Each structure stands twice: as structure tokens, then as C-alpha cells.
Amino acid sequence: MASPSKAGAALAALREDLVGDVFAPGDPGYDEARTVFNVMIDRRPAVIAQCVDEDDVVRAVRFGRDLDLNIAVRGGGHSVAGTAVNDGGLVVDLRHMRAVSVDPAAEAVRVAGGATMSDLDRACQPHALATTGGRASTTGVGGFVLGGGSGWLDRWCGLAVDNLLGVELVTADGERVHASADENPELFWGLHGGGGNFGVATALTLKLHELPEFSIALVLYLPEFGPEVVRTYRELIAAAPDEASGGALYLTGPPEEFVPPHLVGTVLCGALLTYAGPEQDMRKLAEPLLALPHESEIVGAMPYADVQCMLDDPPGMRNYWSAEYLTSAPDAYLEAFCARGESMPPTGTIHVLFPLGGAIATGPREYPVPYRDAPWAVHPFGIWEDPADDERCIQWVRDVRADARPWSTGAVYLNFIGDEGAERVVAGVGAENTRRLAELKRRYDPDNVFRFNHNIRPA
């Protein structure tokens, strides 16, 4: 660690040189700048550098290295583990770097490192183009994509990393590097699931797909109908085209127009059918779900960017999530899923069973994405407000994982989990890929400067 006099001089120089804002403890705006969406995370960085361009990122990283500071990178700030902030280190904050540039002729989009899913989806919508994005509009594009990237479109057009064309990166040495299939291909491989281990992604280029129409059916049921609803959804998806996705879920009735007032705040069962195509095709698929006794429904065409906002997790809440990827979803598992759903704390929590398959399963085999073959994933998404509920909500998430173990593939999508230890990181990239990623880490970040992530230690 640098001496106080050296640190003070370096901070003064950073304030002078950085185009963006710099915050240190005691500065007005510091507490707001260090806050992330998961309020369980309360960390106090030594410096927050709010960069406005790649030059700022280079300045910030070099400042951090000169002072021997650990570096966290903040894009959307949506990591449930709170990896966007640290204690006593530097945060390279990309939130002002949100430009999105669509090239309709090339069917490609360049996304700055701090852009959120909403920035990406809204920019692509006027061109009737889209690519796989997260299931919440507030998710940061950079962390989402580099972590693998699963969303409503992945059965149709692949995981987000399957659509990654290039990444502009600032390394731990403060150097600019471009990674693509033709340039630094080994680094490009590692960025397909290796997350933020190799540098600060200042921009990503993604392949787009024509999406002139999008439609959904969201149907809510009383929980006693859950087992029949979930079985019906499973059978529907088994016979559906790749355009169909969504999930069977239990949720706490939100205070929204589509929820009857007397059911707000209670546990409900739901089925969400998303469809990358016209309403009439979706309606035909949804008939078995609509035939079951239900409390409310939203059925029809809806812009994809609007659907992306429907299940946004509210800010200012406590969050604990996890996931298991499944070899199958037989009746025995569905019974366990539904029983756990009915016992879910009605605090805002969501309990989801997602289908995979389609373009996920047929996508590129070479990347560190070990969950590609699983047909289903269960994602307990604990959300609550009162710290007194910490123990029961966290235990409920762990119980969901335990229920799934007999059917678990052992692999996991790292963006769905918090800090669950080194073994789960290996499960998220694949045992066979871990050594290769560790060698890549040694090449680009031998001192493990970028360790606030699902960390891969240098070999």
C-alpha cells in the first residue's frame, strides 16, 4: 500500500486528469456512488472513478496499480454478490459509458461497457432487431454477456456469448486490447463465460437478429393449481419451437394492474410464455395454460423491450439468489419445486423453472459454458426488505438447491449466483476449462488485480 502522502498526491492528480467524477470517503455524493442494488452489500471503497470514456478507464486502472489497490468494476451494479464495489480499493465505475450504436445493415450493435439492458433493447427496437439480453432491464450488458448471458431469446438465438463479435478491453497493465475471433482469439475464448477476470470491458460488439414481432402470455393461478400448471408448461415447451421460452414460476403478487388487489403480497403460481414471433402463433401454444382455472392473464403482442421490464427486481431490497441446472424435470422434481414454491417467503421472492434447449444446446461447444446441455434450470431469487428475514429467505434459497440435487448436472450459470466458493466457480466454467482460464489469467492479470468477480486465480 502506498504512503498517505503518495496516495494523497495521486488522488489529487486523478481528480485533475479524469474527465469524469472522482469520489473518496467524505465527498458529497460518495455514499450514493457506492450504493448497489442489493442493499445487503455495504462496502466503502477508497476511491470511485466514474469514467466517461476509455481514456478515463486507462487513467483509473493505472492509478489503482500505482497505489497497489484492488480494483472492482461497476457496470450495471447488478451482481448479487456485490462485486461492483469493494472495501478500501478502487471502483472503476462505467455508468456514464452507456452509448449504444446499432448498425442495421451489418445486424450488429456496439455497446459501451456501462450500458444496461434497457439501453441496448431500446436502441435496437426501432430497427426490429434484438439479441439475447437479461431478464431484467436494469442488468448491465457487460457483466451479463461476459458471464455467459441467458434470457428470453436464448432458445431462439443462443446465449449472449454465442452472439459476441468483439470486446474492447483495458487490461490490468492499463493497456488497450481488442479481442475477437481473429484478434487475440485465446482472450476472446476466455471472455465467453470467464467474466471480468481479464480486464475492464469498455465496449462489446454483439450480433443482432430480426425480431419484428414479440408476444407473451403471463397467466397467474392460485398456488393449489401449481402442480398442474407446471406440468402443463413442461409439456407445452417440450413440443414448442425454439421461439418459445419463459418459465413456470411462483411469485409474490406485486402491486401491478395485472394482479387482483386481494392477491397482492400473497404467493401465486404463474406461467410465462414468451414468443419471438406473432401473437396468433403464441396464442395457439398458450391454449393449455389458458384452459386452466386462473386469476388473471396478460396475453398478446408486446414490444420485446417492454417485456424486459416486466420482472425487474426493485432497487433497495435485500437479495440472495442461486441456481441449479437439471438433467430433466420429471414429476418427482416438479412436486418438490411446487412444494417449495408454496412455502416461499412472500417478501418479493421469485422461484423460477426456466427451459433451455434449442439454440443453447446446439450452440458452440468450445466455450467455457458447461450448462449448455441442461434442459431446465431452477433459479430461486430471494428478495426481501427486512433484515429480520435474512435467515429464513437465505435458507429457503438453499433448500431449493437441496431439492434439486438429485437431478442436478453440477454445472451452473455464474450470473445467477452470489459468492458460493471456488468449487462453484469451477462448476460455472467447467473443470476442463479452469486450467486454461487460469493460464489466460496469468497472462493478462498475473497479480489478480481483478478479483472482485467469480474469480479465477492465475495459474
Side-chain angles (χ1 to χ4, degrees):
M1 188 66 67
S3 68
S5 59
K6 179 182 176 183
L11 179 60
L14 182 69
R15 291 186 193 275
E16 182 69 27
D17 294 343
L18 207 77
V19 178
D21 294 321
V22 176
F23 295 95
D27 288 348
Y30 170 79
D31 283 328
E32 184 179 356
R34 70 183 180 89
T35 300
V36 291
F37 94 106
N38 183 3
V39 300
M40 292 181 79
I41 308 302
D42 183 19
R43 296 185 183 142
R44 300 185 65 82
V47 180
I48 300 169
Q50 292 192 334
C51 304
V52 301
D53 57 21
E54 191 177 53
D55 288 343
D56 265 3
V57 174
V58 170
R59 292 183 189 105
V61 170
R62 289 179 176 169
F63 162 84
R65 294 309 308 275
D66 286 348
L67 296 186
D68 196 25
L69 296 174
N70 289 322
I71 299 176
V73 182
R74 178 173 184 149
H78 212 263
S79 157
V80 69
T83 56
V85 286
N86 57 26
D87 278 318
L90 167 68
V91 172
V92 178
D93 186 339
L94 307 179
R95 278 179 290 175
H96 293 308
M97 297 172 60
R98 298 178 64 163
V100 178
S101 177
V102 180
D103 185 340
E107 294 191 342
V109 59
R110 184 183 184 276
V111 186
T116 64
M117 213 53 63
S118 183
D119 297 324
L120 170 61
D121 296 334
R122 296 292 177 194
C124 294
Q125 187 92 35
H127 305 285
L129 295 168
T131 195
T132 297
R135 295 176 175 90
S137 69
T138 50
T139 301
V141 176
F144 166 79
V145 173
L146 300 183
S150 168
W152 306 128
L153 299 179
D154 54 12
R155 281 171 39 86
W156 172 60
C157 66
L159 297 167
V161 284
D162 298 343
N163 294 282
L164 184 61
L165 301 176
V167 181
E168 291 160 42
L169 204 71
V170 174
T171 69
D173 291 332
E175 299 297 328
R176 296 172 172 84
V177 175
H178 183 263
S180 66
D182 300 322
E183 195 174 350
N184 298 302
E186 182 70 3
L187 175 59
F188 190 56
W189 171 84
L191 294 170
H192 284 71
N197 273 284
F198 308 108
V200 184
T202 57
L204 303 92
T205 303
L206 301 166
K207 180 182 178 184
L208 296 174
H209 304 261
E210 292 184 18
L211 187 66
E213 296 180 88
F214 195 77
S215 48
I216 69 158
L218 175 61
V219 193
L220 299 181
Y221 311 81
L222 296 176
E224 54 259 41
F225 295 104
E228 189 175 3
V229 170
V230 178
R231 284 195 301 270
T232 300
Y233 180 81
R234 178 190 63 188
E235 302 310 315
L236 180 159
I237 284 291
D242 294 350
E243 286 84 353
S245 189
L249 65 154
Y250 285 79
L251 73 163
T252 311
E256 301 284 354
E257 286 184 14
F258 62 87
V259 179
H262 68 286
L263 296 177
V264 171
T266 69
V267 172
L268 300 171
C269 181
L272 173 63
L273 176 64
T274 62
Y275 194 77
E279 179 181 346
Q280 62 266 30
D281 294 350
M282 180 276 298
R283 282 185 176 272
K284 195 170 186 68
L285 271 179
E287 283 173 2
L289 294 171
L290 294 166
L292 298 174
H294 56 278
E295 302 302 301
S296 71
E297 63 182 69
I298 299 174
V299 185
M302 186 180 290
Y304 170 68
D306 291 352
V307 174
Q308 287 284 73
C309 304
M310 283 186 64
L311 293 177
D312 279 0
D313 43 324
M317 303 289 278
R318 303 172 78 79
N319 284 255
Y320 185 84
W321 321 333
S322 196
E324 289 290 338
Y325 279 67
L326 310 177
T327 57
S328 60
D331 287 351
Y333 175 67
L334 296 191
E335 288 172 17
F337 173 82
C338 292
R340 198 61 68 185
E342 289 189 38
S343 71
M344 185 178 82
T347 56
T349 294
I350 304 176
H351 181 38
V352 195
L353 187 65
F354 289 120
L356 282 79
I360 304 167
T362 59
R365 312 300 301 176
E366 67 268 24
Y367 298 132
V369 180
Y371 46 87
R372 196 181 283 282
D373 291 332
W376 292 94
V378 61
H379 181 29
F381 198 96
I383 307 174
W384 65 101
E385 191 169 13
D386 188 347
D389 287 327
D390 284 4
E391 188 175 340
R392 73 165 177 152
C393 290
I394 290 171
Q395 187 58 50
W396 178 83
V397 170
R398 290 173 175 163
D399 289 342
V400 172
R401 282 194 64 200
D403 292 342
R405 281 205 184 98
W407 297 276
S408 175
T409 67
V412 70
Y413 169 46
L414 293 175
N415 286 352
F416 274 173
I417 72 171
D419 182 0
E420 296 182 4
E423 287 184 10
R424 285 283 268 177
V425 176
V426 173
V429 295
E432 69 281 3
N433 296 314
T434 300
R435 181 177 298 175
R436 186 174 167 188
L437 288 165
E439 290 172 353
L440 192 65
K441 178 75 167 178
R442 184 182 64 200
R443 181 176 164 192
Y444 284 95
D445 185 13
D447 299 321
N448 203 13
V449 172
F450 298 114
R451 68 182 65 177
F452 293 92
N453 44 42
H454 290 295
N455 193 232
I456 295 158
R457 297 184 67 83

